[in-house]
Amino acid sequence: MESEQSLPRMQMKQTRADSLDPPGSNRVMHRSHITGRTSPMGLLPCLRRGSERWWLPQTERSTEAIGRLLLMDRRSGNGNKPPLDGAIRDRVCRALQSDPAYFIYAVLTYSGPVPVELDQLATWHAHNITGQMASGDAYLGAPQITPTIQKRWRKLTDHFRTIPTSRWMEDAPLWLEVTGPQVSNTWREQWPLIKIDSTPHTEPPPGDSHSLLQELARSVQHQKSLEMAFDARLHGEKLAAIKQLAYGLSHEINNPLANISTRAEQLQRGEADPNRTAILQRIIDQVYRAHEMIADLMFYANPPELERQVCLPSELLAEVSESFTDEAERQAIHIQISTQGNEAHHWAPEIQADTTMITEAIRVLIRNAIDAIGCQGTIVLSLRCDPENIAIVVADSGPGLSAQAQKHAFDPYFSGREAGRGLGLGLCRAYRIAKLHEGDLSLASGPAGCVATLTIPAKLTA
């Protein structure tokens, strides 16, 4: 049997929430579909009319229904509004018929054709709740839920148990005026006409509610997998773009650079003026610097095959650090090799690696440490060995890395010089070397300055 609810009933006598029928009254009980799980858990998005706002409670029942609708909307993902699955529509209808506040919210946010049946209302609500929840002012200026408000909501829930769903909108102002201004007759006249089927939708089987958390967990897992796939694809696209750029630069710029360098060397050989000779030498030096930058970019985009050979990390570390001795002394920087802890330098195993590349990576890390310090400071070099990894650690007493520089340190040509550190192709190249050896390179802020860690898996040991 179907009954029409024409809204509003202008002659209806209003009843305040704090003067509802007391327990033990003789009021006749009508059929109601309100079940448990209607205790307030928060607020639904606000209802707005001009500058006026009203708030309705969000219950466990409405939370579960909205949660499933958000998951459904996320799975569709293409912005379209596909037909609502029958099981989901029935679930929303059950929630609407068992939760007066949720029902009132759905009705008052509906803007489709009228009259509307409950199934149509549930479908429209399902397709629009995501935008309503995500709205920037959905909860702007939300009132605090006080014990008094909760008490009035409980009384209203008890009151609505005594009336059929077809009459809920007649007493809807009682809910609205708990947290908002008085509802005007003008607004009530604009409320849609709702057709209610008196037959309730069947309840889900016991234990069905736990599946929402499972769906949410799967959704989060899916989101993470998409982010990982996106990062991998983005990295691949970036490498492809850099590779194409590097090939273009190599052809279009190296040729004119070679001509400039050749001509400068020719002029230098016949030049007697020392000042002009020095100027020509600076031109030659800058040409070679530009050539090296292009070579670095080529290395990052398309590195050569590794030429592995047996080597000792401790010997490589000592060799590279010794090459910086004179420069470090001029800048009052003390470079020391630490042998504390596990005496790693005495028992570090041999590894199979491209000696030239590992040496270059260590050189980059020490160079960046010196550039960071400038003058008067300390660089500590150390080895850490465990069954899984061999780590070469370079710690400096410089100014450290900003959060932005740490995030983009290994991006080609990232300008992070505000911290006194050249984060161009040097670290980018060292990072590439680490990855070629199936290892890693990380930067972290230490107690003072920066700590760079070059890690090589122990499985690559001889």
Side-chain angles (χ1 to χ4, degrees):
M1 179 178 178
E2 212 175 55
S3 61
E4 281 198 1
Q5 176 183 338
S6 181
L7 299 178
R9 294 192 177 184
M10 299 300 296
Q11 303 302 321
M12 184 195 71
K13 182 178 180 180
Q14 294 294 320
T15 308
R16 298 301 302 173
D18 52 7
S19 62
L20 299 173
D21 297 332
S25 68
N26 295 324
R27 181 166 180 168
V28 177
M29 297 295 290
H30 297 269
R31 179 176 177 84
S32 173
H33 307 312
I34 297 179
T35 60
R37 303 164 63 196
T38 55
S39 299
M41 297 178 63
L43 293 170
L44 292 166
C46 71
L47 297 166
R48 298 182 297 273
R49 186 171 186 270
S51 60
E52 297 178 323
R53 292 172 178 252
W54 294 266
W55 306 86
L56 292 168
Q58 180 175 311
T59 65
E60 181 183 350
R61 172 75 78 172
S62 60
T63 298
E64 180 180 349
I66 292 173
R68 292 186 183 278
L69 293 178
L70 295 179
L71 286 173
M72 176 204 69
D73 190 56
R74 183 192 175 283
R75 285 194 295 267
S76 63
N78 54 11
N80 297 327
K81 296 182 179 180
L84 191 63
D85 179 79
I88 296 178
R89 183 179 61 250
D90 288 344
R91 189 185 297 274
V92 176
C93 287
R94 286 193 301 268
L96 293 174
Q97 286 184 295
S98 62
D99 187 338
Y102 188 32
F103 178 84
I104 295 169
Y105 175 83
V107 172
L108 295 185
T109 54
Y110 177 77
S111 61
V114 291
V116 58
E117 297 183 352
L118 186 63
D119 287 357
Q120 296 171 321
L121 175 65
T123 300
W124 192 94
H125 173 70
H127 288 152
N128 290 274
I129 186 60
T130 299
Q132 295 167 6
M133 296 291 291
S135 173
D137 62 347
Y139 294 95
L140 188 64
Q144 183 179 0
I145 303 176
T146 63
T148 300
I149 290 177
Q150 290 181 327
K151 182 179 179 181
R152 295 181 67 182
W153 281 343
R154 285 194 297 269
K155 286 186 175 182
L156 281 170
T157 300
D158 292 339
H159 168 61
F160 273 66
R161 291 181 192 274
T162 67
I163 59 177
T165 310
S166 58
R167 288 186 51 204
W168 280 1
M169 291 306 295
E170 295 178 1
D171 285 358
L174 299 177
W175 284 95
L176 298 170
E177 292 170 7
V178 171
T179 59
Q182 184 176 357
V183 176
S184 67
N185 290 335
T186 302
W187 186 30
R188 291 185 62 198
E189 289 175 350
Q190 299 172 2
W191 290 355
L193 177 69
I194 310 297
K195 300 173 69 176
I196 304 295
D197 189 343
S198 60
T199 304
H201 290 256
T202 57
E203 285 293 316
D208 182 63
S209 59
H210 76 277
S211 62
L212 175 62
L213 292 178
Q214 187 179 47
E215 288 187 39
L216 179 60
R218 289 174 177 172
S219 176
V220 171
Q221 190 177 50
H222 179 65
Q223 180 69 25
K224 288 183 177 179
S225 66
L226 287 179
E227 290 175 355
M228 292 177 62
F230 175 78
D231 289 343
R233 181 169 181 177
L234 181 63
H235 182 67
E237 295 284 349
K238 182 169 68 174
L239 280 180
I242 292 174
K243 187 174 182 178
Q244 184 176 2
L245 173 64
Y247 282 136
L249 290 176
S250 177
H251 177 72
E252 299 295 337
I253 298 181
N254 273 341
N255 288 339
L257 286 177
N259 290 332
I260 293 172
S261 176
T262 301
R263 183 58 178 161
E265 289 174 347
Q266 291 174 347
L267 293 173
Q268 191 181 44
R269 283 196 295 268
E271 182 58 57
D273 187 344
N275 290 333
R276 292 173 63 86
T277 300
I279 293 173
L280 290 170
Q281 185 60 47
R282 283 197 295 271
I283 293 174
I284 296 171
D285 291 342
Q286 291 303 311
V287 167
Y288 279 107
R289 180 172 179 268
H291 177 73
E292 289 174 359
M293 291 174 64
I294 296 174
D296 284 342
L297 193 60
M298 284 289 293
F299 179 90
Y300 182 84
N302 190 28
E305 292 290 332
L306 297 181
E307 296 182 3
R308 297 186 186 276
Q309 56 183 302
V310 177
C311 60
L312 283 170
S314 56
E315 292 182 356
L316 297 180
L317 196 59
E319 177 185 341
V320 176
S321 64
E322 186 177 356
S323 67
F324 284 96
T325 300
D326 293 340
E327 180 180 356
E329 288 180 355
R330 289 195 300 270
Q331 298 178 219
I333 296 175
H334 177 56
I335 300 179
Q336 67 182 57
I337 298 179
S338 173
T339 58
Q340 296 179 357
N342 55 21
E343 301 289 336
H345 290 266
H346 297 290
W347 64 270
E350 295 178 335
I351 62 173
Q352 287 185 337
D354 189 309
T355 305
T356 302
M357 288 190 185
I358 296 296
T359 299
E360 183 178 357
I362 298 173
R363 189 182 305 278
V364 166
L365 299 183
I366 297 178
R367 164 58 57 198
N368 275 276
I370 291 176
D371 291 344
I373 294 172
C375 61
Q376 294 186 343
T378 302
I379 298 173
V380 180
L381 312 177
S382 61
L383 285 177
R384 292 203 304 261
C385 302
D386 59 47
E388 296 183 355
N389 298 296
I390 297 173
I392 300 172
V393 182
V394 179
D396 65 63
S397 60
L401 290 172
S402 66
Q404 183 76 356
Q406 188 169 346
K407 181 179 179 182
H408 298 283
F410 305 124
D411 289 350
Y413 294 117
F414 170 73
S415 178
R417 299 183 183 277
E418 69 280 358
R421 196 176 299 269
L423 297 178
L425 284 172
L427 285 176
C428 173
R429 189 180 179 102
Y431 178 79
R432 197 77 168 104
I433 291 172
K435 290 301 182 181
L436 288 173
H437 286 81
E438 301 179 37
D440 195 14
L441 176 61
S442 63
L443 299 178
S445 295
C450 175
V451 178
T453 305
L454 173 64
T455 305
I456 301 174
K459 68 179 181 179
L460 297 180
T461 57

